[in-house]
Amino acid sequence: MADRIAFHYFPANSPLHRWDARCKFFGLLIVTVTLLQSKISWLILDSVILLSLLTVSGLSLIRFIRDLRTWGFLLFILFLFQTLFTPGRPLPLLPWLPISAEGFNLGILTFWRLGLILGFSILFTAVTRPRELRDTLVWLLKPLPFLPARRIGLMVSLTLRFFSLILDQSEEVRLAHKARSGDRNKNPLRRAKFLGLPILRRSFSQAEDVAFALAARGYRDDIPLQLPKLKLTHLTPLLILFGLLMITR
Amino acid sequence: MPIEKLRPTVFASLMAALTAVGAYIQIPIGPVPIVLSTLFVLLSGLVLGGRWGLVSMALYLFVGAIGMPVFSGGRGGMAHFLGPTGGYLLGYALASWLSGTISERFRGILVWDIVAVTIGSLTIYGLGLPWLKAVTQMSWSRAFLVGMAPFLIGDGVKASVALILARAVRPILKRQMVMG
Protein backbone atom coordinates (compact mmCIF):
# COMPACT_ATOMS: atom_id res chain seq x y z
CA MET A 1 0.00 0.00 0.00
CA ALA A 2 1.38 3.39 -0.97
CA ASP A 3 2.07 5.83 1.86
CA ARG A 4 -0.29 8.58 0.69
CA ILE A 5 -2.94 10.75 2.29
CA ALA A 6 -4.63 11.61 -1.01
CA PHE A 7 -8.22 10.32 -1.07
CA HIS A 8 -7.69 7.98 1.89
CA TYR A 9 -9.60 8.27 5.14
CA PHE A 10 -7.30 8.77 8.12
CA PRO A 11 -9.00 7.79 11.39
CA ALA A 12 -8.51 10.24 14.26
CA ASN A 13 -10.54 12.06 16.88
CA SER A 14 -9.89 15.68 15.88
CA PRO A 15 -12.67 18.33 15.89
CA LEU A 16 -12.57 18.20 12.08
CA HIS A 17 -13.13 14.42 12.12
CA ARG A 18 -16.03 14.90 14.55
CA TRP A 19 -17.61 17.76 12.56
CA ASP A 20 -20.88 16.63 10.96
CA ALA A 21 -20.17 15.26 7.47
CA ARG A 22 -23.13 17.24 6.04
CA CYS A 23 -21.55 20.49 7.24
CA LYS A 24 -18.14 19.42 5.88
CA PHE A 25 -19.75 18.67 2.53
CA PHE A 26 -21.49 22.05 2.30
CA GLY A 27 -18.30 23.72 3.54
CA LEU A 28 -16.42 22.12 0.63
CA LEU A 29 -19.09 23.34 -1.81
CA ILE A 30 -18.89 26.92 -0.47
CA VAL A 31 -15.09 26.87 -0.67
CA THR A 32 -15.29 25.65 -4.30
CA VAL A 33 -17.63 28.57 -5.12
CA THR A 34 -15.28 31.08 -3.46
CA LEU A 35 -12.33 29.69 -5.42
CA LEU A 36 -14.14 30.01 -8.73
CA GLN A 37 -14.28 33.77 -8.22
CA SER A 38 -10.44 33.88 -8.53
CA LYS A 39 -10.24 36.88 -6.17
CA ILE A 40 -6.88 37.30 -4.42
CA SER A 41 -8.63 38.06 -1.10
CA TRP A 42 -10.52 34.75 -1.24
CA LEU A 43 -7.43 32.81 -2.31
CA ILE A 44 -5.54 34.19 0.72
CA LEU A 45 -8.45 33.53 3.09
CA ASP A 46 -8.97 29.99 1.71
CA SER A 47 -5.24 29.28 2.07
CA VAL A 48 -5.37 30.39 5.72
CA ILE A 49 -8.50 28.28 6.29
CA LEU A 50 -6.84 25.22 4.68
CA LEU A 51 -3.70 25.56 6.81
CA SER A 52 -5.76 26.08 9.98
CA LEU A 53 -7.98 23.06 9.22
CA LEU A 54 -4.91 20.94 8.49
CA THR A 55 -3.46 21.87 11.87
CA VAL A 56 -6.78 21.11 13.59
CA SER A 57 -7.11 17.76 11.75
CA GLY A 58 -3.82 16.48 13.13
CA LEU A 59 -2.72 15.20 9.70
CA SER A 60 0.98 15.35 8.87
CA LEU A 61 1.63 18.60 7.01
CA ILE A 62 4.79 17.17 5.41
CA ARG A 63 2.93 14.16 4.02
CA PHE A 64 0.14 16.43 2.82
CA ILE A 65 2.58 18.64 0.91
CA ARG A 66 4.38 15.56 -0.43
CA ASP A 67 1.03 14.30 -1.77
CA LEU A 68 0.32 17.62 -3.45
CA ARG A 69 3.77 17.44 -5.06
CA THR A 70 2.49 14.59 -7.26
CA TRP A 71 -0.03 17.03 -8.73
CA GLY A 72 2.49 19.86 -8.58
CA PHE A 73 4.03 18.76 -11.86
CA LEU A 74 0.63 18.80 -13.55
CA LEU A 75 -0.21 22.20 -12.12
CA PHE A 76 3.20 23.49 -13.19
CA ILE A 77 2.54 22.43 -16.82
CA LEU A 78 -0.79 24.30 -16.66
CA PHE A 79 1.03 27.31 -15.21
CA LEU A 80 3.62 27.19 -18.01
CA PHE A 81 0.90 26.88 -20.65
CA GLN A 82 -1.04 29.90 -19.39
CA THR A 83 2.13 31.93 -18.89
CA LEU A 84 3.53 31.24 -22.35
CA PHE A 85 0.35 31.48 -24.41
CA THR A 86 -1.50 34.45 -22.89
CA PRO A 87 -0.84 37.61 -24.90
CA GLY A 88 -0.02 40.91 -23.14
CA ARG A 89 2.74 43.25 -21.96
CA PRO A 90 6.23 41.87 -21.20
CA LEU A 91 7.20 41.35 -17.56
CA PRO A 92 8.52 44.67 -16.15
CA LEU A 93 11.42 43.05 -14.26
CA LEU A 94 12.36 40.40 -16.86
CA PRO A 95 11.39 41.89 -20.25
CA TRP A 96 13.62 39.44 -22.18
CA LEU A 97 11.52 36.45 -21.06
CA PRO A 98 8.95 35.29 -23.71
CA ILE A 99 6.08 35.62 -21.23
CA SER A 100 3.54 38.34 -20.59
CA ALA A 101 2.71 39.96 -17.26
CA GLU A 102 -0.96 39.03 -17.75
CA GLY A 103 -0.03 35.42 -18.53
CA PHE A 104 2.23 35.22 -15.48
CA ASN A 105 -0.51 36.55 -13.19
CA LEU A 106 -3.11 34.22 -14.72
CA GLY A 107 -0.72 31.26 -14.40
CA ILE A 108 -0.06 32.00 -10.72
CA LEU A 109 -3.80 32.38 -10.00
CA THR A 110 -4.66 29.09 -11.78
CA PHE A 111 -1.84 27.24 -9.99
CA TRP A 112 -2.95 28.61 -6.61
CA ARG A 113 -6.68 28.01 -7.21
CA LEU A 114 -6.31 24.42 -8.43
CA GLY A 115 -3.81 23.66 -5.66
CA LEU A 116 -6.39 24.84 -3.11
CA ILE A 117 -9.24 22.84 -4.71
CA LEU A 118 -7.05 19.73 -4.54
CA GLY A 119 -5.94 20.52 -0.99
CA PHE A 120 -9.50 20.94 0.31
CA SER A 121 -10.70 17.77 -1.47
CA ILE A 122 -7.81 15.70 -0.10
CA LEU A 123 -8.49 17.07 3.40
CA PHE A 124 -12.22 16.35 3.07
CA THR A 125 -11.68 12.69 2.15
CA ALA A 126 -8.97 12.32 4.81
CA VAL A 127 -11.31 13.40 7.64
CA THR A 128 -14.64 11.99 6.38
CA ARG A 129 -15.46 8.29 6.52
CA PRO A 130 -16.78 6.90 3.19
CA ARG A 131 -19.90 5.82 5.11
CA GLU A 132 -20.49 9.40 6.31
CA LEU A 133 -20.15 10.74 2.78
CA ARG A 134 -22.60 8.10 1.55
CA ASP A 135 -25.12 9.02 4.27
CA THR A 136 -24.72 12.72 3.46
CA LEU A 137 -25.51 12.09 -0.21
CA VAL A 138 -28.46 9.87 0.68
CA TRP A 139 -29.73 12.67 2.98
CA LEU A 140 -29.35 15.19 0.16
CA LEU A 141 -30.88 13.08 -2.61
CA LYS A 142 -33.69 11.54 -0.57
CA PRO A 143 -36.21 14.35 -1.22
CA LEU A 144 -35.78 13.91 -5.00
CA PRO A 145 -38.31 11.45 -6.42
CA PHE A 146 -37.39 8.44 -8.62
CA LEU A 147 -33.72 8.52 -7.58
CA PRO A 148 -32.20 5.50 -5.80
CA ALA A 149 -30.52 7.77 -3.21
CA ARG A 150 -28.87 5.00 -1.17
CA ARG A 151 -27.48 3.30 -4.26
CA ILE A 152 -26.09 6.61 -5.59
CA GLY A 153 -24.54 7.38 -2.21
CA LEU A 154 -22.94 3.93 -2.14
CA MET A 155 -21.60 4.32 -5.68
CA VAL A 156 -20.07 7.74 -4.98
CA SER A 157 -18.29 6.50 -1.86
CA LEU A 158 -17.11 3.39 -3.77
CA THR A 159 -15.83 5.57 -6.63
CA LEU A 160 -13.71 7.65 -4.26
CA ARG A 161 -12.46 4.49 -2.52
CA PHE A 162 -11.54 2.88 -5.86
CA PHE A 163 -9.91 6.11 -6.99
CA SER A 164 -7.33 5.94 -4.19
CA LEU A 165 -6.94 2.16 -4.63
CA ILE A 166 -6.23 2.52 -8.36
CA LEU A 167 -3.63 5.23 -7.68
CA ASP A 168 -1.91 2.89 -5.19
CA GLN A 169 -2.06 -0.06 -7.58
CA SER A 170 -0.79 1.98 -10.53
CA GLU A 171 2.26 2.93 -8.50
CA GLU A 172 2.89 -0.70 -7.50
CA VAL A 173 2.46 -2.01 -11.05
CA ARG A 174 4.63 0.79 -12.47
CA LEU A 175 7.45 -0.03 -10.04
CA ALA A 176 7.15 -3.77 -10.76
CA HIS A 177 7.19 -2.98 -14.49
CA LYS A 178 10.24 -0.75 -14.09
CA ALA A 179 12.05 -3.39 -12.00
CA ARG A 180 11.69 -5.76 -14.98
CA SER A 181 13.06 -3.08 -17.38
CA GLY A 182 9.61 -2.79 -18.93
CA ASP A 183 9.95 0.99 -19.13
CA ARG A 184 12.51 0.61 -21.93
CA ASN A 185 9.75 -0.35 -24.33
CA LYS A 186 8.39 2.87 -25.85
CA ASN A 187 5.55 1.37 -27.90
CA PRO A 188 2.37 2.92 -26.34
CA LEU A 189 0.15 -0.03 -27.27
CA ARG A 190 2.52 -2.59 -25.70
CA ARG A 191 3.02 -0.39 -22.65
CA ALA A 192 -0.74 0.01 -22.25
CA LYS A 193 -1.14 -3.75 -22.43
CA PHE A 194 1.61 -4.57 -19.93
CA LEU A 195 0.79 -1.71 -17.54
CA GLY A 196 -2.94 -1.24 -18.05
CA LEU A 197 -3.97 -4.87 -18.03
CA PRO A 198 -2.51 -5.81 -14.61
CA ILE A 199 -4.07 -2.66 -13.11
CA LEU A 200 -7.44 -3.45 -14.67
CA ARG A 201 -7.28 -7.11 -13.70
CA ARG A 202 -6.45 -6.28 -10.07
CA SER A 203 -9.09 -3.55 -9.97
CA PHE A 204 -11.86 -5.81 -11.26
CA SER A 205 -10.79 -8.55 -8.89
CA GLN A 206 -11.00 -6.12 -5.95
CA ALA A 207 -14.32 -4.78 -7.19
CA GLU A 208 -15.62 -8.36 -7.26
CA ASP A 209 -14.49 -8.82 -3.63
CA VAL A 210 -16.33 -5.62 -2.68
CA ALA A 211 -19.50 -6.82 -4.43
CA PHE A 212 -19.30 -10.13 -2.52
CA ALA A 213 -18.66 -8.31 0.76
CA LEU A 214 -21.71 -6.11 0.20
CA ALA A 215 -23.89 -9.11 -0.71
CA ALA A 216 -22.58 -11.08 2.30
CA ARG A 217 -23.50 -8.19 4.63
CA GLY A 218 -27.01 -8.10 3.20
CA TYR A 219 -26.83 -4.71 1.45
CA ARG A 220 -30.29 -3.32 0.70
CA ASP A 221 -31.48 -0.11 -0.93
CA ASP A 222 -34.44 0.36 1.40
CA ILE A 223 -32.72 0.55 4.80
CA PRO A 224 -33.94 3.79 6.47
CA LEU A 225 -31.36 6.50 7.00
CA GLN A 226 -30.55 7.32 10.62
CA LEU A 227 -28.66 10.57 10.99
CA PRO A 228 -28.47 12.73 14.12
CA LYS A 229 -30.08 16.17 14.11
CA LEU A 230 -27.75 18.93 12.96
CA LYS A 231 -26.40 20.83 15.97
CA LEU A 232 -26.01 24.61 15.96
CA THR A 233 -22.35 24.31 17.01
CA HIS A 234 -21.71 22.28 13.84
CA LEU A 235 -23.62 24.77 11.68
CA THR A 236 -21.91 27.92 13.01
CA PRO A 237 -18.62 27.71 10.99
CA LEU A 238 -20.67 27.00 7.88
CA LEU A 239 -22.93 30.02 8.48
CA ILE A 240 -19.89 32.29 9.00
CA LEU A 241 -18.32 31.08 5.73
CA PHE A 242 -21.61 31.50 3.87
CA GLY A 243 -22.06 35.00 5.34
CA LEU A 244 -18.57 35.98 4.17
CA LEU A 245 -19.36 34.70 0.69
CA MET A 246 -22.57 36.73 0.55
CA ILE A 247 -20.84 39.92 1.77
CA THR A 248 -18.06 39.70 -0.82
CA ARG A 249 -20.30 38.97 -3.80
CA MET B 1 -29.52 -7.68 -2.63
CA PRO B 2 -28.22 -10.56 -4.82
CA ILE B 3 -24.65 -10.46 -6.12
CA GLU B 4 -25.90 -10.30 -9.74
CA LYS B 5 -27.44 -6.89 -9.02
CA LEU B 6 -24.59 -5.62 -6.87
CA ARG B 7 -21.82 -6.54 -9.29
CA PRO B 8 -22.70 -4.01 -12.04
CA THR B 9 -23.20 -1.33 -9.36
CA VAL B 10 -19.69 -1.89 -8.04
CA PHE B 11 -18.14 -2.25 -11.51
CA ALA B 12 -19.78 1.01 -12.66
CA SER B 13 -18.20 2.74 -9.63
CA LEU B 14 -14.86 1.23 -10.59
CA MET B 15 -15.13 2.52 -14.18
CA ALA B 16 -16.06 5.99 -12.88
CA ALA B 17 -12.95 5.89 -10.67
CA LEU B 18 -10.77 4.77 -13.60
CA THR B 19 -12.12 7.67 -15.70
CA ALA B 20 -11.23 10.03 -12.86
CA VAL B 21 -7.69 8.63 -12.70
CA GLY B 22 -7.49 9.02 -16.50
CA ALA B 23 -8.34 12.72 -16.15
CA TYR B 24 -5.13 13.24 -14.17
CA ILE B 25 -3.02 11.99 -17.05
CA GLN B 26 -3.35 15.05 -19.27
CA ILE B 27 -1.35 17.22 -21.65
CA PRO B 28 -2.62 20.83 -21.78
CA ILE B 29 -2.41 21.94 -25.42
CA GLY B 30 -5.18 24.57 -25.46
CA PRO B 31 -8.64 25.15 -24.00
CA VAL B 32 -9.22 21.41 -24.45
CA PRO B 33 -6.44 19.19 -23.01
CA ILE B 34 -5.48 15.68 -24.14
CA VAL B 35 -6.74 13.34 -21.40
CA LEU B 36 -6.73 9.60 -20.91
CA SER B 37 -10.33 9.65 -19.63
CA THR B 38 -11.78 9.07 -23.08
CA LEU B 39 -10.09 5.65 -23.14
CA PHE B 40 -12.04 4.65 -20.02
CA VAL B 41 -15.24 6.20 -21.38
CA LEU B 42 -15.08 3.78 -24.32
CA LEU B 43 -13.88 0.94 -22.12
CA SER B 44 -16.82 1.40 -19.73
CA GLY B 45 -19.25 0.95 -22.61
CA LEU B 46 -17.38 -2.03 -24.06
CA VAL B 47 -17.01 -3.83 -20.73
CA LEU B 48 -20.24 -2.92 -18.91
CA GLY B 49 -22.62 -2.53 -21.83
CA GLY B 50 -24.75 0.48 -22.78
CA ARG B 51 -26.91 0.87 -19.68
CA TRP B 52 -24.22 0.43 -17.03
CA GLY B 53 -21.68 2.32 -19.12
CA LEU B 54 -24.09 5.26 -19.07
CA VAL B 55 -24.56 4.84 -15.31
CA SER B 56 -20.80 4.80 -14.70
CA MET B 57 -20.27 8.00 -16.70
CA ALA B 58 -23.26 9.74 -15.08
CA LEU B 59 -21.70 8.77 -11.75
CA TYR B 60 -18.32 10.21 -12.81
CA LEU B 61 -20.00 13.49 -13.79
CA PHE B 62 -21.96 13.55 -10.52
CA VAL B 63 -18.81 13.01 -8.42
CA GLY B 64 -17.20 15.90 -10.30
CA ALA B 65 -20.31 18.07 -9.93
CA ILE B 66 -20.32 17.76 -6.13
CA GLY B 67 -16.83 19.26 -6.05
CA MET B 68 -14.44 16.31 -6.08
CA PRO B 69 -11.40 17.03 -8.28
CA VAL B 70 -12.01 14.30 -10.86
CA PHE B 71 -12.07 16.36 -14.07
CA SER B 72 -8.97 17.11 -16.17
CA GLY B 73 -6.08 18.50 -14.14
CA GLY B 74 -7.77 18.04 -10.77
CA ARG B 75 -10.75 20.32 -11.44
CA GLY B 76 -14.23 19.78 -10.08
CA GLY B 77 -17.52 21.54 -9.41
CA MET B 78 -20.71 22.36 -11.28
CA ALA B 79 -19.16 25.40 -12.97
CA HIS B 80 -16.88 23.11 -14.96
CA PHE B 81 -19.89 22.01 -17.02
CA LEU B 82 -20.41 25.58 -18.19
CA GLY B 83 -16.78 25.95 -19.30
CA PRO B 84 -15.36 25.18 -22.78
CA THR B 85 -15.04 21.44 -22.02
CA GLY B 86 -18.59 21.01 -20.63
CA GLY B 87 -19.88 19.50 -23.87
CA TYR B 88 -17.10 16.91 -23.95
CA LEU B 89 -18.01 15.88 -20.40
CA LEU B 90 -21.66 15.38 -21.30
CA GLY B 91 -20.49 13.59 -24.44
CA TYR B 92 -18.78 11.00 -22.21
CA ALA B 93 -22.14 9.68 -20.99
CA LEU B 94 -23.61 9.50 -24.49
CA ALA B 95 -20.42 7.96 -25.96
CA SER B 96 -20.29 5.26 -23.32
CA TRP B 97 -23.97 4.42 -23.83
CA LEU B 98 -23.65 4.30 -27.63
CA SER B 99 -20.44 2.28 -27.79
CA GLY B 100 -21.78 -0.05 -25.11
CA THR B 101 -25.11 -0.57 -26.85
CA ILE B 102 -23.46 -1.34 -30.22
CA SER B 103 -20.87 -3.64 -28.67
CA GLU B 104 -23.51 -5.43 -26.58
CA ARG B 105 -25.70 -6.06 -29.60
CA PHE B 106 -22.86 -7.62 -31.63
CA ARG B 107 -20.85 -9.11 -28.72
CA GLY B 108 -17.55 -10.73 -29.61
CA ILE B 109 -17.40 -9.46 -33.18
CA LEU B 110 -14.25 -7.37 -33.60
CA VAL B 111 -15.55 -5.33 -36.54
CA TRP B 112 -18.55 -4.13 -34.51
CA ASP B 113 -16.34 -3.33 -31.54
CA ILE B 114 -14.28 -1.12 -33.88
CA VAL B 115 -17.50 0.53 -35.10
CA ALA B 116 -18.56 1.02 -31.46
CA VAL B 117 -15.36 2.81 -30.38
CA THR B 118 -15.31 4.92 -33.57
CA ILE B 119 -18.89 6.09 -33.05
CA GLY B 120 -18.20 6.56 -29.34
CA SER B 121 -15.13 8.75 -30.02
CA LEU B 122 -17.02 10.84 -32.57
CA THR B 123 -19.98 11.28 -30.21
CA ILE B 124 -17.73 13.04 -27.69
CA TYR B 125 -16.90 15.61 -30.41
CA GLY B 126 -20.53 15.70 -31.52
CA LEU B 127 -21.42 17.32 -28.21
CA GLY B 128 -18.06 18.86 -27.32
CA LEU B 129 -17.38 20.85 -30.48
CA PRO B 130 -20.68 22.82 -30.72
CA TRP B 131 -20.40 23.52 -26.98
CA LEU B 132 -16.81 24.77 -27.35
CA LYS B 133 -17.88 26.96 -30.27
CA ALA B 134 -20.82 28.41 -28.31
CA VAL B 135 -18.84 29.10 -25.12
CA THR B 136 -15.71 30.55 -26.73
CA GLN B 137 -17.52 32.28 -29.66
CA MET B 138 -15.03 30.72 -32.12
CA SER B 139 -15.75 30.01 -35.78
CA TRP B 140 -16.44 26.39 -36.76
CA SER B 141 -13.05 26.03 -38.46
CA ARG B 142 -11.21 27.45 -35.43
CA ALA B 143 -13.23 25.24 -33.05
CA PHE B 144 -12.30 22.23 -35.20
CA LEU B 145 -8.61 23.21 -35.14
CA VAL B 146 -8.56 23.73 -31.37
CA GLY B 147 -11.11 21.16 -30.21
CA MET B 148 -10.80 18.19 -32.54
CA ALA B 149 -7.90 18.12 -35.02
CA PRO B 150 -5.04 17.81 -32.46
CA PHE B 151 -6.72 14.85 -30.76
CA LEU B 152 -7.60 12.61 -33.70
CA ILE B 153 -4.36 10.59 -33.78
CA GLY B 154 -4.37 10.25 -29.99
CA ASP B 155 -8.00 9.18 -30.10
CA GLY B 156 -7.10 6.46 -32.58
CA VAL B 157 -4.47 5.15 -30.16
CA LYS B 158 -6.84 5.43 -27.18
CA ALA B 159 -9.64 3.64 -29.05
CA SER B 160 -7.20 0.84 -30.02
CA VAL B 161 -6.02 0.50 -26.40
CA ALA B 162 -9.65 0.47 -25.20
CA LEU B 163 -10.34 -2.35 -27.65
CA ILE B 164 -7.27 -4.36 -26.57
CA LEU B 165 -8.09 -3.91 -22.88
CA ALA B 166 -11.81 -4.64 -23.32
CA ARG B 167 -11.13 -7.87 -25.21
CA ALA B 168 -8.62 -8.92 -22.52
CA VAL B 169 -10.87 -8.01 -19.58
CA ARG B 170 -14.15 -9.49 -20.86
CA PRO B 171 -13.05 -13.15 -20.38
CA ILE B 172 -11.90 -12.33 -16.83
CA LEU B 173 -15.28 -10.79 -16.04
CA LYS B 174 -17.12 -13.68 -17.62
CA ARG B 175 -15.08 -16.12 -15.52
CA GLN B 176 -15.79 -14.13 -12.35
CA MET B 177 -19.48 -14.13 -13.11
CA VAL B 178 -19.52 -17.90 -13.72
CA MET B 179 -17.62 -18.54 -10.49
CA GLY B 180 -19.83 -16.05 -8.58
Side-chain angles (χ1 to χ4, degrees):
Chain A
M1 179 74 73
D3 184 27
R4 286 191 298 101
I5 292 180
F7 302 105
H8 283 285
Y9 170 67
F10 268 73
N13 195 26
S14 75
L16 201 57
H17 283 80
R18 290 196 303 272
W19 195 19
D20 193 292
R22 288 166 285 182
C23 296
K24 277 187 264 189
F25 181 77
F26 279 112
L28 182 70
L29 285 187
I30 295 174
V31 163
T32 314
V33 172
T34 63
L35 288 171
L36 285 173
Q37 297 184 1
S38 287
K39 283 182 188 166
I40 289 279
S41 51
W42 267 114
L43 288 174
I44 294 169
L45 184 63
D46 284 333
S47 306
V48 172
I49 292 173
L50 180 63
L51 282 174
S52 315
L53 290 179
L54 258 172
T55 316
V56 170
S57 73
L59 292 169
S60 159
L61 188 66
I62 295 167
R63 277 171 71 179
F64 191 81
I65 292 169
R66 203 179 55 199
D67 269 16
L68 274 179
R69 213 174 49 187
T70 320
W71 281 282
F73 174 70
L74 201 69
L75 297 181
F76 183 67
I77 294 176
L78 276 172
F79 165 76
L80 274 186
F81 181 81
Q82 294 213 302
T83 307
L84 290 172
F85 295 105
T86 308
R89 295 170 289 112
L91 273 177
L93 286 176
L94 305 160
W96 44 270
L97 271 178
I99 54 177
S100 66
E102 286 82 357
F104 187 74
N105 289 339
L106 192 66
I108 294 268
L109 279 181
T110 309
F111 187 91
W112 195 355
R113 193 165 57 86
L114 286 178
L116 281 174
I117 290 178
L118 274 169
F120 274 106
S121 312
I122 290 172
L123 182 65
F124 175 79
T125 43
V127 298
T128 313
R129 286 176 196 279
R131 183 180 53 78
E132 289 174 336
L133 175 65
R134 185 200 64 199
D135 288 349
T136 299
L137 290 170
V138 175
W139 177 76
L140 271 172
L141 296 172
K142 228 176 135 191
L144 301 174
F146 312 116
L147 271 181
R150 188 166 274 277
R151 186 92 69 98
I152 294 172
L154 170 78
M155 288 175 89
V156 170
S157 62
L158 278 180
T159 301
L160 292 175
R161 180 81 193 106
F162 283 136
F163 183 78
S164 61
L165 271 178
I166 295 163
L167 287 179
D168 291 347
Q169 279 173 5
S170 309
E171 188 59 14
E172 283 171 16
V173 170
R174 192 186 64 80
L175 289 174
H177 191 65
K178 199 177 167 187
R180 289 160 180 80
S181 302
D183 54 335
R184 289 166 73 181
N185 192 333
K186 301 291 177 205
N187 183 337
L189 289 178
R190 282 185 73 83
R191 274 174 76 101
K193 193 173 177 181
F194 292 122
L195 270 174
L197 205 52
I199 295 170
L200 268 185
R201 194 178 287 151
R202 277 168 162 224
S203 303
F204 274 105
S205 169
Q206 266 176 345
E208 178 78 3
D209 291 345
V210 170
F212 268 112
L214 282 167
R217 283 159 182 75
Y219 171 82
R220 279 166 53 189
D221 276 341
D222 56 351
I223 300 168
L225 184 68
Q226 285 174 333
L227 277 174
K229 216 176 156 191
L230 269 173
K231 289 180 190 158
L232 189 65
T233 45
H234 287 244
L235 276 171
T236 309
L238 202 64
L239 291 173
I240 293 171
L241 195 63
F242 188 69
L244 273 174
L245 176 68
M246 285 296 118
I247 291 167
T248 54
R249 272 175 75 91
Chain B
M1 187 179 282
I3 185 78
E4 292 77 21
K5 276 193 177 176
L6 274 169
R7 194 181 274 124
T9 306
V10 178
F11 285 173
S13 310
L14 176 67
M15 288 315 300
L18 280 165
T19 312
V21 172
Y24 280 91
I25 305 160
Q26 69 145 350
I27 308 162
I29 55 159
V32 187
I34 295 177
V35 282
L36 207 64
S37 301
T38 43
L39 189 158
F40 295 107
V41 171
L42 301 172
L43 190 66
S44 66
L46 293 179
V47 171
L48 302 178
R51 185 176 162 223
W52 283 101
L54 174 68
V55 170
S56 72
M57 287 306 110
L59 177 66
Y60 167 69
L61 299 179
F62 180 66
V63 172
I66 62 172
M68 292 292 137
V70 294
F71 296 147
S72 60
R75 286 166 230 238
M78 275 297 252
H80 204 62
F81 288 96
L82 304 173
T85 53
Y88 293 92
L89 288 176
L90 296 176
Y92 284 3
L94 193 61
S96 179
W97 176 71
L98 267 177
S99 54
T101 307
I102 297 168
S103 162
E104 221 169 5
R105 196 166 163 74
F106 304 97
R107 176 131 294 181
I109 303 171
L110 179 64
V111 179
W112 283 104
D113 275 353
I114 294 171
V115 172
V117 291
T118 310
I119 291 178
S121 299
L122 291 174
T123 306
I124 297 175
Y125 294 112
L127 262 76
L129 221 54
W131 192 291
L132 176 72
K133 184 191 174 296
V135 170
T136 56
Q137 306 284 311
M138 291 177 186
S139 63
W140 277 110
S141 55
R142 176 112 182 96
F144 174 79
L145 281 175
V146 173
M148 188 168 173
F151 310 104
L152 288 174
I153 296 171
D155 276 345
V157 176
K158 281 186 267 184
S160 312
V161 174
L163 262 179
I164 293 171
L165 292 179
R167 295 182 80 79
V169 165
R170 272 183 197 150
I172 300 170
L173 286 183
K174 209 174 267 180
R175 206 164 45 237
Q176 279 181 351
M177 282 174 197
V178 170
M179 284 166 74

